PDB file of all heavy atoms in Angstrom:
ATOM      1  N   SER A 103     211.855  46.201  39.612  1.00  0.00           N
ATOM      2  CA  SER A 103     213.095  45.540  39.181  1.00  0.00           C
ATOM      3  C   SER A 103     214.321  46.112  39.679  1.00  0.00           C
ATOM      4  O   SER A 103     215.390  45.382  39.714  1.00  0.00           O
ATOM      5  CB  SER A 103     213.035  45.425  37.568  1.00  0.00           C
ATOM      6  OG  SER A 103     213.015  46.723  37.144  1.00  0.00           O
ATOM      7  N   ASN A 104     214.262  47.280  40.225  1.00  0.00           N
ATOM      8  CA  ASN A 104     215.379  47.946  40.746  1.00  0.00           C
ATOM      9  C   ASN A 104     215.565  47.792  42.232  1.00  0.00           C
ATOM     10  O   ASN A 104     216.479  48.345  42.885  1.00  0.00           O
ATOM     11  CB  ASN A 104     215.476  49.461  40.377  1.00  0.00           C
ATOM     12  CG  ASN A 104     215.456  49.682  38.878  1.00  0.00           C
ATOM     13  OD1 ASN A 104     216.132  48.952  38.177  1.00  0.00           O
ATOM     14  ND2 ASN A 104     214.731  50.801  38.458  1.00  0.00           N
ATOM     15  N   ALA A 105     214.581  47.127  42.829  1.00  0.00           N
ATOM     16  CA  ALA A 105     214.496  47.051  44.341  1.00  0.00           C
ATOM     17  C   ALA A 105     215.673  46.484  44.976  1.00  0.00           C
ATOM     18  O   ALA A 105     216.103  47.136  45.936  1.00  0.00           O
ATOM     19  CB  ALA A 105     213.239  46.321  44.654  1.00  0.00           C
ATOM     20  N   VAL A 106     216.229  45.370  44.590  1.00  0.00           N
ATOM     21  CA  VAL A 106     217.331  44.731  45.219  1.00  0.00           C
ATOM     22  C   VAL A 106     218.548  45.642  45.238  1.00  0.00           C
ATOM     23  O   VAL A 106     219.172  45.835  46.244  1.00  0.00           O
ATOM     24  CB  VAL A 106     217.612  43.365  44.643  1.00  0.00           C
ATOM     25  CG1 VAL A 106     218.831  42.741  45.239  1.00  0.00           C
ATOM     26  CG2 VAL A 106     216.382  42.440  44.861  1.00  0.00           C
ATOM     27  N   ALA A 107     218.846  46.267  44.157  1.00  0.00           N
ATOM     28  CA  ALA A 107     220.024  47.062  44.028  1.00  0.00           C
ATOM     29  C   ALA A 107     219.772  48.273  44.865  1.00  0.00           C
ATOM     30  O   ALA A 107     220.738  48.698  45.650  1.00  0.00           O
ATOM     31  CB  ALA A 107     220.258  47.433  42.500  1.00  0.00           C
ATOM     32  N   ALA A 108     218.638  48.861  44.761  1.00  0.00           N
ATOM     33  CA  ALA A 108     218.355  50.083  45.657  1.00  0.00           C
ATOM     34  C   ALA A 108     218.414  49.888  47.114  1.00  0.00           C
ATOM     35  O   ALA A 108     218.884  50.690  47.879  1.00  0.00           O
ATOM     36  CB  ALA A 108     217.023  50.601  45.218  1.00  0.00           C
ATOM     37  N   LEU A 109     217.950  48.678  47.508  1.00  0.00           N
ATOM     38  CA  LEU A 109     218.029  48.277  48.938  1.00  0.00           C
ATOM     39  C   LEU A 109     219.475  48.094  49.465  1.00  0.00           C
ATOM     40  O   LEU A 109     219.930  48.644  50.414  1.00  0.00           O
ATOM     41  CB  LEU A 109     217.237  46.914  49.150  1.00  0.00           C
ATOM     42  CG  LEU A 109     216.996  46.587  50.686  1.00  0.00           C
ATOM     43  CD1 LEU A 109     216.042  47.406  51.347  1.00  0.00           C
ATOM     44  CD2 LEU A 109     216.486  45.070  50.703  1.00  0.00           C
ATOM     45  N   LYS A 110     220.248  47.373  48.520  1.00  0.00           N
ATOM     46  CA  LYS A 110     221.686  47.117  48.901  1.00  0.00           C
ATOM     47  C   LYS A 110     222.533  48.402  48.920  1.00  0.00           C
ATOM     48  O   LYS A 110     223.341  48.570  49.734  1.00  0.00           O
ATOM     49  CB  LYS A 110     222.183  46.160  47.824  1.00  0.00           C
ATOM     50  CG  LYS A 110     223.621  45.627  48.131  1.00  0.00           C
ATOM     51  CD  LYS A 110     224.118  44.714  47.009  1.00  0.00           C
ATOM     52  CE  LYS A 110     225.484  44.239  47.367  1.00  0.00           C
ATOM     53  NZ  LYS A 110     225.916  43.156  46.269  1.00  0.00           N
ATOM     54  N   ASN A 111     222.072  49.375  48.078  1.00  0.00           N
ATOM     55  CA  ASN A 111     222.887  50.569  47.987  1.00  0.00           C
ATOM     56  C   ASN A 111     222.453  51.691  49.006  1.00  0.00           C
ATOM     57  O   ASN A 111     222.875  52.789  49.133  1.00  0.00           O
ATOM     58  CB  ASN A 111     222.804  51.280  46.660  1.00  0.00           C
ATOM     59  CG  ASN A 111     223.507  50.462  45.642  1.00  0.00           C
ATOM     60  OD1 ASN A 111     224.431  49.626  45.908  1.00  0.00           O
ATOM     61  ND2 ASN A 111     223.097  50.402  44.380  1.00  0.00           N
ATOM     62  N   GLY A 112     221.321  51.377  49.793  1.00  0.00           N
ATOM     63  CA  GLY A 112     220.823  52.279  50.809  1.00  0.00           C
ATOM     64  C   GLY A 112     219.903  53.360  50.266  1.00  0.00           C
ATOM     65  O   GLY A 112     219.647  54.312  51.023  1.00  0.00           O
ATOM     66  N   GLN A 113     219.524  53.219  48.956  1.00  0.00           N
ATOM     67  CA  GLN A 113     218.618  54.221  48.535  1.00  0.00           C
ATOM     68  C   GLN A 113     217.167  54.126  48.954  1.00  0.00           C
ATOM     69  O   GLN A 113     216.420  55.081  48.916  1.00  0.00           O
ATOM     70  CB  GLN A 113     218.713  54.126  46.899  1.00  0.00           C
ATOM     71  CG  GLN A 113     220.045  54.385  46.346  1.00  0.00           C
ATOM     72  CD  GLN A 113     220.097  54.108  44.732  1.00  0.00           C
ATOM     73  OE1 GLN A 113     219.812  52.844  44.425  1.00  0.00           O
ATOM     74  NE2 GLN A 113     220.250  55.077  43.949  1.00  0.00           N
ATOM     75  N   ILE A 114     216.888  52.963  49.376  1.00  0.00           N
ATOM     76  CA  ILE A 114     215.568  52.709  49.996  1.00  0.00           C
ATOM     77  C   ILE A 114     215.706  51.906  51.306  1.00  0.00           C
ATOM     78  O   ILE A 114     216.804  51.331  51.540  1.00  0.00           O
ATOM     79  CB  ILE A 114     214.599  51.962  49.034  1.00  0.00           C
ATOM     80  CG1 ILE A 114     215.184  50.618  48.670  1.00  0.00           C
ATOM     81  CG2 ILE A 114     214.195  52.742  47.788  1.00  0.00           C
ATOM     82  CD1 ILE A 114     214.175  49.675  47.864  1.00  0.00           C
ATOM     83  N   ASP A 115     214.631  51.991  52.166  1.00  0.00           N
ATOM     84  CA  ASP A 115     214.689  51.288  53.390  1.00  0.00           C
ATOM     85  C   ASP A 115     214.018  49.925  53.257  1.00  0.00           C
ATOM     86  O   ASP A 115     214.232  48.939  53.965  1.00  0.00           O
ATOM     87  CB  ASP A 115     214.002  52.065  54.570  1.00  0.00           C
ATOM     88  CG  ASP A 115     214.661  53.309  54.757  1.00  0.00           C
ATOM     89  OD1 ASP A 115     215.859  53.327  55.210  1.00  0.00           O
ATOM     90  OD2 ASP A 115     214.170  54.444  54.582  1.00  0.00           O
ATOM     91  N   GLY A 116     213.214  49.745  52.213  1.00  0.00           N
ATOM     92  CA  GLY A 116     212.490  48.411  52.002  1.00  0.00           C
ATOM     93  C   GLY A 116     211.709  48.550  50.764  1.00  0.00           C
ATOM     94  O   GLY A 116     211.548  49.520  50.091  1.00  0.00           O
ATOM     95  N   PHE A 117     211.251  47.324  50.396  1.00  0.00           N
ATOM     96  CA  PHE A 117     210.284  47.278  49.209  1.00  0.00           C
ATOM     97  C   PHE A 117     209.174  46.285  49.479  1.00  0.00           C
ATOM     98  O   PHE A 117     209.294  45.375  50.402  1.00  0.00           O
ATOM     99  CB  PHE A 117     210.999  46.898  47.919  1.00  0.00           C
ATOM    100  CG  PHE A 117     211.579  45.499  47.903  1.00  0.00           C
ATOM    101  CD1 PHE A 117     210.918  44.407  47.440  1.00  0.00           C
ATOM    102  CD2 PHE A 117     212.972  45.241  48.348  1.00  0.00           C
ATOM    103  CE1 PHE A 117     211.556  43.127  47.321  1.00  0.00           C
ATOM    104  CE2 PHE A 117     213.524  43.996  48.318  1.00  0.00           C
ATOM    105  CZ  PHE A 117     212.830  42.908  47.839  1.00  0.00           C
ATOM    106  N   VAL A 118     208.125  46.428  48.746  1.00  0.00           N
ATOM    107  CA  VAL A 118     206.908  45.572  48.844  1.00  0.00           C
ATOM    108  C   VAL A 118     206.721  44.770  47.610  1.00  0.00           C
ATOM    109  O   VAL A 118     206.764  45.466  46.531  1.00  0.00           O
ATOM    110  CB  VAL A 118     205.725  46.381  49.154  1.00  0.00           C
ATOM    111  CG1 VAL A 118     204.469  45.430  49.328  1.00  0.00           C
ATOM    112  CG2 VAL A 118     205.936  47.226  50.510  1.00  0.00           C
ATOM    113  N   THR A 119     206.586  43.488  47.674  1.00  0.00           N
ATOM    114  CA  THR A 119     206.458  42.761  46.494  1.00  0.00           C
ATOM    115  C   THR A 119     205.338  41.607  46.797  1.00  0.00           C
ATOM    116  O   THR A 119     205.230  41.141  47.865  1.00  0.00           O
ATOM    117  CB  THR A 119     207.736  42.162  45.955  1.00  0.00           C
ATOM    118  OG1 THR A 119     207.518  41.506  44.720  1.00  0.00           O
ATOM    119  CG2 THR A 119     208.283  41.112  46.987  1.00  0.00           C
ATOM    120  N   ALA A 120     204.674  41.170  45.700  1.00  0.00           N
ATOM    121  CA  ALA A 120     203.750  40.090  45.828  1.00  0.00           C
ATOM    122  C   ALA A 120     204.040  38.999  44.807  1.00  0.00           C
ATOM    123  O   ALA A 120     204.240  39.417  43.642  1.00  0.00           O
ATOM    124  CB  ALA A 120     202.339  40.589  45.702  1.00  0.00           C
ATOM    125  N   GLY A 121     203.940  37.874  45.212  1.00  0.00           N
ATOM    126  CA  GLY A 121     204.249  36.737  44.262  1.00  0.00           C
ATOM    127  C   GLY A 121     204.276  35.404  45.036  1.00  0.00           C
ATOM    128  O   GLY A 121     203.938  35.345  46.142  1.00  0.00           O
ATOM    129  N   SER A 122     204.473  34.369  44.279  1.00  0.00           N
ATOM    130  CA  SER A 122     204.576  33.051  44.998  1.00  0.00           C
ATOM    131  C   SER A 122     205.766  33.065  45.863  1.00  0.00           C
ATOM    132  O   SER A 122     206.686  33.782  45.705  1.00  0.00           O
ATOM    133  CB  SER A 122     204.712  31.969  43.942  1.00  0.00           C
ATOM    134  OG  SER A 122     205.806  32.212  43.120  1.00  0.00           O
ATOM    135  N   TRP A 123     205.669  32.283  46.946  1.00  0.00           N
ATOM    136  CA  TRP A 123     206.947  32.156  47.878  1.00  0.00           C
ATOM    137  C   TRP A 123     207.605  30.702  47.624  1.00  0.00           C
ATOM    138  O   TRP A 123     206.813  29.779  47.329  1.00  0.00           O
ATOM    139  CB  TRP A 123     206.574  32.355  49.271  1.00  0.00           C
ATOM    140  CG  TRP A 123     205.693  31.375  49.874  1.00  0.00           C
ATOM    141  CD1 TRP A 123     204.277  31.397  49.961  1.00  0.00           C
ATOM    142  CD2 TRP A 123     206.016  30.130  50.602  1.00  0.00           C
ATOM    143  NE1 TRP A 123     203.825  30.223  50.702  1.00  0.00           N
ATOM    144  CE2 TRP A 123     204.918  29.421  50.968  1.00  0.00           C
ATOM    145  CE3 TRP A 123     207.320  29.530  50.778  1.00  0.00           C
ATOM    146  CZ2 TRP A 123     204.919  28.260  51.553  1.00  0.00           C
ATOM    147  CZ3 TRP A 123     207.325  28.218  51.362  1.00  0.00           C
ATOM    148  CH2 TRP A 123     206.066  27.619  51.740  1.00  0.00           C
ATOM    149  N   PRO A 124     208.893  30.613  47.652  1.00  0.00           N
ATOM    150  CA  PRO A 124     209.833  31.800  47.809  1.00  0.00           C
ATOM    151  C   PRO A 124     209.864  32.666  46.597  1.00  0.00           C
ATOM    152  O   PRO A 124     209.941  32.228  45.550  1.00  0.00           O
ATOM    153  CB  PRO A 124     211.096  31.068  48.090  1.00  0.00           C
ATOM    154  CG  PRO A 124     211.043  29.761  47.484  1.00  0.00           C
ATOM    155  CD  PRO A 124     209.571  29.352  47.649  1.00  0.00           C
ATOM    156  N   ALA A 125     209.840  33.959  46.819  1.00  0.00           N
ATOM    157  CA  ALA A 125     209.933  34.881  45.721  1.00  0.00           C
ATOM    158  C   ALA A 125     211.338  35.136  45.265  1.00  0.00           C
ATOM    159  O   ALA A 125     212.075  35.480  46.096  1.00  0.00           O
ATOM    160  CB  ALA A 125     209.231  36.244  46.126  1.00  0.00           C
ATOM    161  N   PRO A 126     211.524  35.039  43.896  1.00  0.00           N
ATOM    162  CA  PRO A 126     212.947  35.215  43.343  1.00  0.00           C
ATOM    163  C   PRO A 126     213.603  36.447  43.861  1.00  0.00           C
ATOM    164  O   PRO A 126     214.864  36.507  44.256  1.00  0.00           O
ATOM    165  CB  PRO A 126     212.806  35.134  41.868  1.00  0.00           C
ATOM    166  CG  PRO A 126     211.559  34.224  41.744  1.00  0.00           C
ATOM    167  CD  PRO A 126     210.624  34.670  42.865  1.00  0.00           C
ATOM    168  N   ASN A 127     212.861  37.629  43.801  1.00  0.00           N
ATOM    169  CA  ASN A 127     213.533  38.849  44.130  1.00  0.00           C
ATOM    170  C   ASN A 127     213.684  38.969  45.621  1.00  0.00           C
ATOM    171  O   ASN A 127     214.726  39.713  46.010  1.00  0.00           O
ATOM    172  CB  ASN A 127     212.755  40.185  43.628  1.00  0.00           C
ATOM    173  CG  ASN A 127     211.271  40.116  44.103  1.00  0.00           C
ATOM    174  OD1 ASN A 127     210.781  39.152  44.732  1.00  0.00           O
ATOM    175  ND2 ASN A 127     210.565  41.201  43.906  1.00  0.00           N
ATOM    176  N   VAL A 128     212.972  38.321  46.471  1.00  0.00           N
ATOM    177  CA  VAL A 128     213.278  38.341  47.939  1.00  0.00           C
ATOM    178  C   VAL A 128     214.390  37.408  48.218  1.00  0.00           C
ATOM    179  O   VAL A 128     215.336  37.676  49.072  1.00  0.00           O
ATOM    180  CB  VAL A 128     212.007  37.840  48.731  1.00  0.00           C
ATOM    181  CG1 VAL A 128     212.228  37.922  50.257  1.00  0.00           C
ATOM    182  CG2 VAL A 128     210.793  38.789  48.308  1.00  0.00           C
ATOM    183  N   ILE A 129     214.561  36.270  47.508  1.00  0.00           N
ATOM    184  CA  ILE A 129     215.699  35.384  47.583  1.00  0.00           C
ATOM    185  C   ILE A 129     216.899  36.170  47.348  1.00  0.00           C
ATOM    186  O   ILE A 129     217.978  36.178  48.182  1.00  0.00           O
ATOM    187  CB  ILE A 129     215.544  34.145  46.778  1.00  0.00           C
ATOM    188  CG1 ILE A 129     214.521  33.219  47.194  1.00  0.00           C
ATOM    189  CG2 ILE A 129     216.884  33.462  46.675  1.00  0.00           C
ATOM    190  CD1 ILE A 129     214.163  32.116  46.211  1.00  0.00           C
ATOM    191  N   GLU A 130     216.921  36.945  46.265  1.00  0.00           N
ATOM    192  CA  GLU A 130     218.119  37.739  45.861  1.00  0.00           C
ATOM    193  C   GLU A 130     218.395  38.822  46.890  1.00  0.00           C
ATOM    194  O   GLU A 130     219.591  38.945  47.290  1.00  0.00           O
ATOM    195  CB  GLU A 130     217.774  38.322  44.464  1.00  0.00           C
ATOM    196  CG  GLU A 130     218.961  39.211  43.928  1.00  0.00           C
ATOM    197  CD  GLU A 130     218.683  39.835  42.590  1.00  0.00           C
ATOM    198  OE1 GLU A 130     217.627  39.632  42.112  1.00  0.00           O
ATOM    199  OE2 GLU A 130     219.518  40.592  42.137  1.00  0.00           O
ATOM    200  N   ALA A 131     217.429  39.506  47.421  1.00  0.00           N
ATOM    201  CA  ALA A 131     217.647  40.492  48.309  1.00  0.00           C
ATOM    202  C   ALA A 131     218.339  39.972  49.616  1.00  0.00           C
ATOM    203  O   ALA A 131     219.271  40.513  50.151  1.00  0.00           O
ATOM    204  CB  ALA A 131     216.368  41.252  48.610  1.00  0.00           C
ATOM    205  N   ALA A 132     217.633  38.859  50.082  1.00  0.00           N
ATOM    206  CA  ALA A 132     218.209  38.247  51.344  1.00  0.00           C
ATOM    207  C   ALA A 132     219.610  37.725  51.191  1.00  0.00           C
ATOM    208  O   ALA A 132     220.351  37.568  52.169  1.00  0.00           O
ATOM    209  CB  ALA A 132     217.243  37.124  51.752  1.00  0.00           C
ATOM    210  N   ALA A 133     219.967  37.328  50.042  1.00  0.00           N
ATOM    211  CA  ALA A 133     221.357  36.694  49.801  1.00  0.00           C
ATOM    212  C   ALA A 133     222.378  37.695  49.639  1.00  0.00           C
ATOM    213  O   ALA A 133     223.563  37.515  49.793  1.00  0.00           O
ATOM    214  CB  ALA A 133     221.252  35.840  48.507  1.00  0.00           C
ATOM    215  N   SER A 134     221.931  39.049  49.292  1.00  0.00           N
ATOM    216  CA  SER A 134     222.897  40.069  49.072  1.00  0.00           C
ATOM    217  C   SER A 134     223.083  41.101  50.066  1.00  0.00           C
ATOM    218  O   SER A 134     224.166  41.774  50.140  1.00  0.00           O
ATOM    219  CB  SER A 134     222.514  40.841  47.690  1.00  0.00           C
ATOM    220  OG  SER A 134     221.236  41.424  47.826  1.00  0.00           O
ATOM    221  N   THR A 135     222.107  41.119  51.018  1.00  0.00           N
ATOM    222  CA  THR A 135     222.244  42.070  52.132  1.00  0.00           C
ATOM    223  C   THR A 135     221.354  41.666  53.233  1.00  0.00           C
ATOM    224  O   THR A 135     220.313  41.005  52.987  1.00  0.00           O
ATOM    225  CB  THR A 135     221.890  43.524  51.670  1.00  0.00           C
ATOM    226  OG1 THR A 135     222.174  44.407  52.717  1.00  0.00           O
ATOM    227  CG2 THR A 135     220.446  43.676  51.340  1.00  0.00           C
ATOM    228  N   PRO A 136     221.691  41.932  54.475  1.00  0.00           N
ATOM    229  CA  PRO A 136     220.803  41.511  55.595  1.00  0.00           C
ATOM    230  C   PRO A 136     219.444  42.242  55.534  1.00  0.00           C
ATOM    231  O   PRO A 136     219.424  43.374  55.412  1.00  0.00           O
ATOM    232  CB  PRO A 136     221.572  41.893  56.846  1.00  0.00           C
ATOM    233  CG  PRO A 136     223.090  42.010  56.460  1.00  0.00           C
ATOM    234  CD  PRO A 136     222.972  42.420  54.996  1.00  0.00           C
ATOM    235  N   VAL A 137     218.374  41.358  55.669  1.00  0.00           N
ATOM    236  CA  VAL A 137     216.946  42.059  55.536  1.00  0.00           C
ATOM    237  C   VAL A 137     216.108  41.451  56.564  1.00  0.00           C
ATOM    238  O   VAL A 137     216.430  40.306  57.210  1.00  0.00           O
ATOM    239  CB  VAL A 137     216.325  41.678  54.138  1.00  0.00           C
ATOM    240  CG1 VAL A 137     217.227  42.213  52.955  1.00  0.00           C
ATOM    241  CG2 VAL A 137     216.094  40.194  53.945  1.00  0.00           C
ATOM    242  N   THR A 138     215.041  42.154  56.916  1.00  0.00           N
ATOM    243  CA  THR A 138     214.019  41.729  57.827  1.00  0.00           C
ATOM    244  C   THR A 138     212.743  41.568  57.025  1.00  0.00           C
ATOM    245  O   THR A 138     212.397  42.690  56.323  1.00  0.00           O
ATOM    246  CB  THR A 138     213.796  42.618  58.988  1.00  0.00           C
ATOM    247  OG1 THR A 138     215.108  42.734  59.698  1.00  0.00           O
ATOM    248  CG2 THR A 138     212.810  42.124  59.906  1.00  0.00           C
ATOM    249  N   ILE A 139     212.072  40.513  56.976  1.00  0.00           N
ATOM    250  CA  ILE A 139     210.823  40.411  56.379  1.00  0.00           C
ATOM    251  C   ILE A 139     209.681  40.423  57.319  1.00  0.00           C
ATOM    252  O   ILE A 139     209.695  39.546  58.283  1.00  0.00           O
ATOM    253  CB  ILE A 139     210.751  39.053  55.472  1.00  0.00           C
ATOM    254  CG1 ILE A 139     211.966  38.942  54.474  1.00  0.00           C
ATOM    255  CG2 ILE A 139     209.505  38.950  54.685  1.00  0.00           C
ATOM    256  CD1 ILE A 139     212.186  37.652  53.923  1.00  0.00           C
ATOM    257  N   LEU A 140     208.742  41.402  57.223  1.00  0.00           N
ATOM    258  CA  LEU A 140     207.919  41.710  58.288  1.00  0.00           C
ATOM    259  C   LEU A 140     206.731  40.733  58.397  1.00  0.00           C
ATOM    260  O   LEU A 140     206.202  40.255  57.270  1.00  0.00           O
ATOM    261  CB  LEU A 140     207.300  43.110  58.218  1.00  0.00           C
ATOM    262  CG  LEU A 140     208.329  44.246  57.986  1.00  0.00           C
ATOM    263  CD1 LEU A 140     207.606  45.674  57.890  1.00  0.00           C
ATOM    264  CD2 LEU A 140     209.289  44.240  59.165  1.00  0.00           C
ATOM    265  N   SER A 141     206.281  40.486  59.533  1.00  0.00           N
ATOM    266  CA  SER A 141     205.013  39.672  59.796  1.00  0.00           C
ATOM    267  C   SER A 141     203.903  40.754  60.137  1.00  0.00           C
ATOM    268  O   SER A 141     204.166  41.863  60.676  1.00  0.00           O
ATOM    269  CB  SER A 141     205.236  38.748  61.005  1.00  0.00           C
ATOM    270  OG  SER A 141     205.923  37.605  60.567  1.00  0.00           O
ATOM    271  N   LEU A 142     202.731  40.415  59.903  1.00  0.00           N
ATOM    272  CA  LEU A 142     201.592  41.162  60.234  1.00  0.00           C
ATOM    273  C   LEU A 142     200.851  40.534  61.485  1.00  0.00           C
ATOM    274  O   LEU A 142     200.992  39.322  61.672  1.00  0.00           O
ATOM    275  CB  LEU A 142     200.566  41.294  59.056  1.00  0.00           C
ATOM    276  CG  LEU A 142     200.830  42.256  58.015  1.00  0.00           C
ATOM    277  CD1 LEU A 142     202.070  41.950  57.219  1.00  0.00           C
ATOM    278  CD2 LEU A 142     199.603  42.454  57.104  1.00  0.00           C
ATOM    279  N   THR A 143     200.288  41.416  62.318  1.00  0.00           N
ATOM    280  CA  THR A 143     199.512  40.866  63.334  1.00  0.00           C
ATOM    281  C   THR A 143     198.216  40.269  62.893  1.00  0.00           C
ATOM    282  O   THR A 143     197.728  40.497  61.825  1.00  0.00           O
ATOM    283  CB  THR A 143     199.227  41.948  64.413  1.00  0.00           C
ATOM    284  OG1 THR A 143     198.340  42.943  63.900  1.00  0.00           O
ATOM    285  CG2 THR A 143     200.491  42.642  64.910  1.00  0.00           C
TER     286      THR A 143
END
């Protein structure tokens, strides 16, 4: 629950989350700070 704030403040480099897409916490993160969402090979 602290992931978005921690990412925005630079306390973490990233977070991992699982849920339906679009995921609310990922929407919030992408809207508040530039992010990269990784693809897997």
Side-chain angles (χ1 to χ4, degrees):
S103 57
N104 299 322
V106 175
L109 188 72
K110 187 176 180 180
N111 296 333
Q113 296 170 298
I114 59 173
D115 296 298
F117 67 92
V118 180
T119 186
S122 55
W123 66 266
N127 55 350
V128 181
I129 292 174
E130 183 184 357
S134 61
T135 189
V137 300
T138 301
I139 304 168
L140 306 183
S141 281
L142 278 67
T143 66

